[in-house]
Amino acid sequence: MKILLVDDDEALLTVFATTLKKHGYEVITAPNGQGGLEKAKTEKPDFIFLDQVLPDIQGNEVLKTLKDDLETKMIPVAMLSNFGQNELIQKAINTGAADYILKYLIEPDDLDAKIRDLTKAAQAQPDREQPL
Amino acid sequence: MTTAIALLTTTVIFFCASILLLIKSITDKNKLKKNNENEKNNLVSVISSLSDGVIVLDIKLNPWAINDAARSFLKITKESPTLEDVLITFPGELNLEEKLKEVIQFDRTATLHEVIINEKTFQVYINPVGDGKNKPLNEVAAPITGVSLLLKDITEEKSLEKMQEDFSHSVVHELRAPVTAIKDSASLMLADGLGEDDKKKMLNLIHDQAKKMLTQISSILDAAKVENGKLILTKTSGDIGKVTQDEVSLFLPEAKKKNITLIAEIGNNLPLFSFDNVRIAQAIANIISNSLKYTNANGVVKVTVDTNETENPNTLKSVIISVTDNGIGIPLEKQNMLFTKFGGQLNTSSSKETQAASSGLGLYITKGIIEAHGGKIEIHSMVGKGTTTTFSLPISSQ
């Protein structure tokens, strides 16, 4: 299973990548939104962790582009953030995020279960469309 | 304080308006229309000088007087606007008409908080006109003859509030990120399944992130010192050329990693003079760090140090230090915000250009350090061309 990590925080990339590799995942990374979008299309990952604050394009915009594209819309995306305000969470979920993860609360070893739960949920509703 | 002033202004205006509307009702009865017009003109001239928007409506909610500020806030151009013209400018969900009726019916005031009209934010005070409650006991309470609206523009206060919020957000983000990395690395090491190489990688990460956090905490404290004017310099005689060269050398690995050419041009015969070697090194580091951050691969960052030779021997000589890059540049409208404490902050809706302007607290502290030495700092930048940051340090023997 291939996981794409999009974040400009190198330390977080290192920790998440090390954890996921330990659990047997193949991991690819991108340090910005543009790189993330390109890798999502060319590498066809099974799951994406997407940071909310990126140096070039905002995470929500990247998410919207992914969800508007037929090739990438089925890939579950979990937003990563340092901020837990309801409006931010709601915005991400409305844009199509499968989950909203607070970086400082999640334990790295819980990422594995998260990926399994969210991909299972995504497969259970294959025709899930964005509300008009 | 502002609320107190607003209330005072409101009281004065409503007092005037009360009297005038009372006169209006009497004159209406007596059909002395001409006098009424005069009084109305008087009222309009009283309220026209106010920077707050004022609209006075009669008991049937017909707009009776409106000042220039209110016209400009609500973009009303009609000479005699109708109630509909006024209502349409307010957000519909406020039910302004109902509120106005309630104020008249129950003889009480109402305040609408943070009403957004034409991209500005207002505090709106609604008051009954001819309210008898505030009359001295021996005077007959005047009947309510209308209602008035006072619009106080609080856009600036709100935007400052927003900047402060963004600033605390940014500080939280910058501190949370390294702590999170430390916590997660430690968790990984405590759990099973990590190879020796990975364990070492995690230990290095803990070390680097802890160091990063200490630097960020120092920055926050430095910014506080600059803000309170408590930045204390420890001046010793030093070689500015060497200090600059040393800082450049420290950034060479980072430049190489990003494939950026980082060069230093140090002038000959630079004098030894007295300055805070540590703080100036910190200032130079902040500027180089910014340039590296906003320059793409294959770019060039050049650091120069020289004296400004002047013809006039009485003019104080200075050392001029410049950092020039051919990076993404900073839009003009962001440039004057760069040196403010809040100006350089990221916010969650910012574009690439805005983020290019974000330097955290670095430039704010840098400016504080340069100015404490009696020097000046300026930035020249063009989007797509690059940025030059220049500062001067007066050469003093002290």
Side-chain angles (χ1 to χ4, degrees):
Chain A
M1 207 173 177
K2 199 190 278 181
I3 313 291
L4 171 61
L5 296 174
V6 188
D7 201 315
D8 58 332
D9 181 351
E10 279 180 42
L12 180 125
L13 284 184
T14 310
V15 174
F16 273 32
T18 309
T19 313
L20 294 173
K21 281 176 190 162
K22 188 182 94 173
H23 286 280
Y25 293 97
E26 184 187 342
V27 181
I28 46 173
T29 63
N32 52 45
Q34 195 54 46
L37 286 172
E38 279 161 23
K39 289 208 168 150
K41 278 189 90 109
T42 55
E43 301 267 349
K44 306 240 179 311
D46 302 288
F47 193 92
I48 300 174
F49 285 104
L50 174 64
D51 185 26
Q52 199 179 37
V53 183
L54 290 166
D56 54 348
I57 316 170
Q58 285 306 301
N60 273 324
E61 285 301 308
V62 176
L63 176 64
K64 194 174 179 309
T65 313
L66 289 170
K67 291 294 156 190
D68 285 345
D69 189 328
L70 282 175
E71 278 187 71
T72 52
K73 68 182 289 187
M74 296 309 293
I75 309 170
V77 180
M79 282 300 249
L80 298 173
S81 177
N82 270 325
F83 298 101
Q85 281 93 331
N86 279 332
E87 64 209 68
L88 294 175
I89 299 173
Q90 212 46 55
K91 197 173 170 192
I93 299 295
N94 289 345
T95 316
D99 201 356
Y100 188 97
I101 296 173
L102 288 171
K103 296 180 187 181
Y104 55 96
L105 288 184
I106 187 140
E107 283 298 326
D109 274 327
D110 294 339
L111 291 172
D112 174 39
K114 199 89 186 162
I115 294 168
R116 276 188 278 137
D117 289 351
L118 293 172
T119 34
K120 206 183 285 173
Q123 278 156 6
Q125 330 170 255
D127 294 322
R128 199 179 140 209
E129 287 288 334
Q130 288 308 301
L132 288 173
Chain B
M1 185 61 196
T2 38
T3 323
I5 293 170
L7 282 176
L8 189 63
T9 345
T10 335
T11 318
V12 171
I13 294 157
F14 296 132
F15 180 65
C16 296
S18 309
I19 294 172
L20 292 165
L21 272 185
L22 178 63
I23 292 167
K24 178 183 183 286
S25 66
I26 296 166
T27 51
D28 275 352
K29 277 178 200 158
N30 297 336
K31 295 183 180 169
L32 290 172
K33 277 191 177 170
K34 203 172 171 186
N35 268 354
N36 178 27
E37 275 306 305
N38 285 343
E39 295 304 339
K40 178 180 169 180
N41 289 342
N42 284 346
L43 170 64
V44 171
S45 68
V46 169
I47 63 176
S48 68
S49 57
L50 294 166
S51 58
D52 293 326
V54 180
I55 304 169
V56 186
L57 303 113
D58 67 17
I59 194 100
K60 290 176 186 154
L61 296 184
N62 294 313
W64 188 66
I66 176 166
N67 74 348
D68 290 345
R71 282 179 188 278
S72 129
F73 291 153
L74 304 178
K75 298 210 168 111
I76 289 178
T77 47
K78 266 193 206 167
E79 179 62 28
S80 309
T82 62
L83 173 65
E84 203 48 43
D85 294 330
V86 173
L87 291 179
I88 204 158
T89 58
F90 282 80
E93 68 271 16
L94 281 179
N95 275 331
L96 184 63
E97 190 171 0
E98 285 307 305
K99 295 241 164 57
L100 294 172
K101 282 179 183 162
E102 276 171 27
V103 165
I104 293 176
Q105 190 185 348
F106 302 109
D107 187 8
R108 65 174 180 216
T109 62
T111 306
L112 311 177
H113 299 280
E114 296 181 20
V115 180
I116 296 170
I117 302 168
N118 298 324
E119 287 165 10
K120 279 175 175 265
T121 311
F122 296 95
Q123 200 80 349
V124 181
Y125 302 90
I126 309 174
N127 279 262
V129 175
D131 177 5
K133 278 182 186 164
N134 300 325
K135 292 268 171 190
L137 283 173
N138 56 353
E139 282 186 34
V140 181
I144 292 175
T145 53
V147 61
S148 66
L149 285 156
L150 183 126
L151 291 102
K152 186 170 170 49
D153 185 354
I154 55 164
T155 315
E156 218 165 283
E157 283 97 320
K158 286 309 292 175
S159 93
L160 190 69
E161 222 172 78
K162 172 101 183 37
M163 278 203 279
Q164 280 166 338
E165 223 170 72
D166 286 347
F167 172 70
S168 2
H169 268 183
S170 174
V171 169
V172 168
H173 176 85
E174 299 213 345
L175 291 180
R176 250 180 198 166
V179 183
T180 304
I182 292 168
K183 181 207 77 167
D184 287 353
S185 311
S187 299
L188 273 177
M189 291 193 65
L190 288 169
D192 296 329
L194 224 52
E196 280 309 307
D197 281 358
D198 278 342
K199 277 187 182 160
K200 197 160 182 200
K201 195 155 71 179
M202 292 301 113
L203 267 181
N204 270 323
L205 199 141
I206 291 174
H207 176 256
D208 293 350
Q209 294 296 307
K211 251 174 87 179
K212 187 173 164 189
M213 239 188 105
L214 288 173
T215 314
Q216 275 156 356
I217 291 171
S218 303
S219 290
I220 296 166
L221 291 176
D222 282 349
K225 281 183 197 157
V226 170
E227 189 170 23
N228 302 326
K230 285 186 179 150
L231 190 73
I232 294 160
L233 300 179
T234 315
K235 289 189 181 182
T236 51
S237 179
D239 179 347
I240 186 70
K242 187 177 180 305
V243 169
T244 309
Q245 185 64 63
D246 287 351
E247 284 311 307
V248 170
S249 302
L250 284 176
F251 279 98
L252 282 175
E254 190 185 328
K256 198 178 169 194
K257 201 171 151 196
K258 291 190 74 184
N259 210 6
I260 293 170
T261 311
L262 173 61
I263 41 174
E265 280 179 12
I266 314 286
N268 296 322
N269 306 320
L270 289 170
L272 284 179
F273 67 103
S274 187
F275 60 94
D276 188 323
N277 289 232
V278 176
R279 288 291 186 189
I280 290 298
Q282 182 189 0
I284 296 170
N286 279 340
I287 302 170
I288 298 176
S289 162
N290 270 344
S291 273
L292 286 178
K293 204 186 280 179
Y294 299 113
T295 301
N296 296 322
N298 302 319
V300 179
V301 176
K302 189 168 93 176
V303 185
T304 61
V305 188
D306 220 332
T307 49
N308 65 335
E309 294 296 346
T310 48
E311 302 272 314
N312 185 350
N314 293 326
T315 311
L316 193 65
K317 271 211 286 186
S318 295
V319 165
I320 308 292
I321 297 161
S322 269
V323 179
T324 303
D325 66 59
N326 58 358
I328 61 176
I330 307 153
L332 201 60
E333 67 270 20
K334 307 286 180 212
Q335 288 181 21
N336 56 355
M337 296 288 287
L338 285 173
F339 293 114
T340 64
K341 188 175 161 195
F342 308 121
Q345 299 309 314
L346 277 176
N347 69 55
T348 42
S349 63
S350 61
S351 64
K352 186 178 181 179
E353 285 74 22
T354 327
Q355 296 207 359
S358 45
S359 53
L361 294 166
L363 276 181
Y364 177 74
I365 298 166
T366 301
K367 185 171 186 263
I369 293 171
I370 306 300
E371 287 179 351
H373 280 84
K376 277 188 181 148
I377 181 163
E378 44 189 52
I379 285 189
H380 295 282
S381 184
M382 263 182 84
V383 173
K385 299 271 180 204
T387 304
T388 298
T389 310
T390 307
F391 72 86
S392 62
L393 273 186
I395 299 169
S396 61
S397 48
Q398 299 287 303

